[in-house]
Amino acid sequence: MRRRASPSSLRTSPSPPRRKVLALPGTTAASNDVKSLFECQECCGFVLPPIPQCENGHLVCRSCRPKLTRCPICKGQLGSIRNLALEKVADTMLFPCKYTSCGCEKTLRHTEKADHEEICKFRPYPCPCPGTCCKWRGALHAISPHLMQHHESVTTIEGADVVFLATNINIPGPIDWVMLQHCFGFHFMLVLEKQEIHEGHQQFFAIAQLLGTRKQAENFAYRFQLTSETRRLTWEGTPRSIDERIAAAIVKSDCFVFETNTAEFFAEDNNLSISVTIFMY
């Protein structure tokens, strides 16, 4: 006679717990205790995999590690020890963007964090106006208002086809002319720089920069053109984004470059007019 097992005597293998994604402060599942586990002992930022530690277990982030020879807490050797256990914990976490204090509310896995921060719209940018010592820093959307309110020499003109007028181009020494062009819902900063390449030899460099991201800049092209009754000189290119330094493009001559005698040929009464057209793909 077979005996039927009672419900209390039945045993089943428990299913493995589902891996949860936890969240650090700045989310609804904030935990100061968890946050402290990932705090760099040098800069107080987050320590993300690979996670180096000293011989006594204190953590430093990858940015601080190359600058240190000893632990900032116990002065022990740093070496190449990794905290593998904490790295596994980090794989289950969501970390806040480092621009949280600027308004970003995103939380991300550590493998996505750096890529997001590179294009985060809350990332603070320095003032892009060349030829100034402006110390301002602010969000992307605040750059245009800053230029218009705090740089009186920067004028703004509407339209995809405009004339960029540089006055008194024969003024000795290096000089910058800057203008904002507004079209297609964006501001483009037009820059003409006169630089002394070596003694007695000056060149002009003209470039357009989108006050937007690299991805947005790829949707546009610009044309600079010098014209006279019998001559025409043209340059076309993709505008630099706000993430790319104008100075770097000028060093590489990756812009509209022309000699002083060329500028004088197209100038009228010491003023140079550059026709500018912005195209949207």
Side-chain angles (χ1 to χ4, degrees):
M1 184 177 184
R2 293 183 179 178
R3 298 181 62 184
R4 183 176 294 175
S6 63
S8 60
S9 64
L10 290 174
R11 299 196 177 190
T12 58
S13 298
S15 59
R18 295 183 67 184
R19 200 177 197 188
K20 295 181 178 180
V21 177
L22 304 177
L24 288 180
T27 70
T28 55
S31 167
N32 288 329
D33 290 338
V34 176
K35 176 186 177 183
S36 65
L37 294 176
F38 292 90
E39 188 173 283
C40 174
Q41 303 296 332
E42 177 69 7
C43 70
C44 297
F46 288 117
V47 181
L48 302 176
I51 299 177
Q53 67 172 46
C54 77
E55 57 191 11
N56 293 316
H58 301 124
L59 308 180
V60 290
C61 69
R62 283 175 290 174
S63 297
C64 293
R65 176 64 186 85
K67 307 171 188 176
L68 303 170
T69 55
R70 293 187 175 274
C71 173
I73 300 299
C74 66
K75 307 306 178 185
Q77 292 290 338
L78 287 174
S80 57
I81 306 172
R82 284 173 56 183
N83 192 319
L84 300 180
L86 201 56
E87 288 182 11
K88 290 182 178 180
V89 176
D91 288 339
T92 70
M93 308 290 293
L94 291 178
F95 294 85
C97 171
K98 69 179 180 180
Y99 301 119
T100 298
S101 61
C102 300
C104 185
E105 298 180 353
K106 271 191 172 292
T107 55
L108 314 102
R109 293 184 180 276
H110 71 83
T111 53
E112 305 167 337
K113 193 169 182 290
D115 288 341
H116 162 76
E117 290 168 350
E118 183 69 21
I119 60 172
C120 179
K121 66 180 181 180
F122 293 96
R123 170 187 175 184
Y125 291 87
C127 174
C129 189
T132 68
C133 297
C134 183
K135 303 298 183 182
W136 178 89
R137 291 178 66 85
L140 182 59
H141 65 83
I143 296 176
S144 298
H146 165 75
L147 291 173
M148 290 185 281
Q149 295 170 14
H150 298 280
H151 294 274
E152 296 179 356
S153 61
V154 179
T155 58
T156 304
I157 191 166
E158 299 282 341
D161 292 280
V162 302
V163 174
F164 180 17
L165 180 63
T167 60
N168 300 319
I169 62 170
N170 287 332
I171 294 177
I175 190 170
D176 305 272
W177 295 266
V178 183
M179 187 180 81
L180 285 182
Q181 179 178 359
H182 183 255
C183 58
F184 303 112
F186 289 89
H187 278 98
F188 296 81
M189 188 171 70
L190 311 179
V191 176
L192 176 66
E193 288 195 7
K194 183 173 70 169
Q195 293 188 5
E196 188 165 4
I197 306 306
H198 50 78
E199 188 175 355
H201 180 212
Q202 294 182 326
Q203 282 184 320
F204 286 83
F205 302 84
I207 193 168
Q209 181 179 47
L210 173 70
L211 302 187
T213 65
R214 286 188 178 94
K215 188 174 182 179
Q216 291 169 331
E218 292 171 357
N219 297 320
F220 297 96
Y222 71 95
R223 178 192 297 143
F224 283 161
Q225 190 167 266
L226 296 174
T227 58
S228 69
E229 292 182 359
T230 58
R231 299 287 187 274
R232 178 180 300 166
L233 185 61
T234 302
W235 164 273
E236 292 187 4
T238 301
R240 293 271 162 166
S241 76
I242 193 65
D243 298 303
E244 302 168 284
R245 296 177 61 246
I246 286 179
I250 290 177
V251 168
K252 298 176 182 178
S253 293
D254 186 14
C255 56
F256 188 20
V257 184
F258 49 95
E259 304 294 326
T260 303
N261 58 352
T262 301
E264 292 173 348
F265 181 86
F266 286 99
E268 292 185 11
D269 298 326
N270 201 24
N271 300 322
L272 183 66
S273 296
I274 304 177
S275 297
V276 183
T277 303
I278 303 293
F279 305 92
M280 186 175 185
Y281 296 128

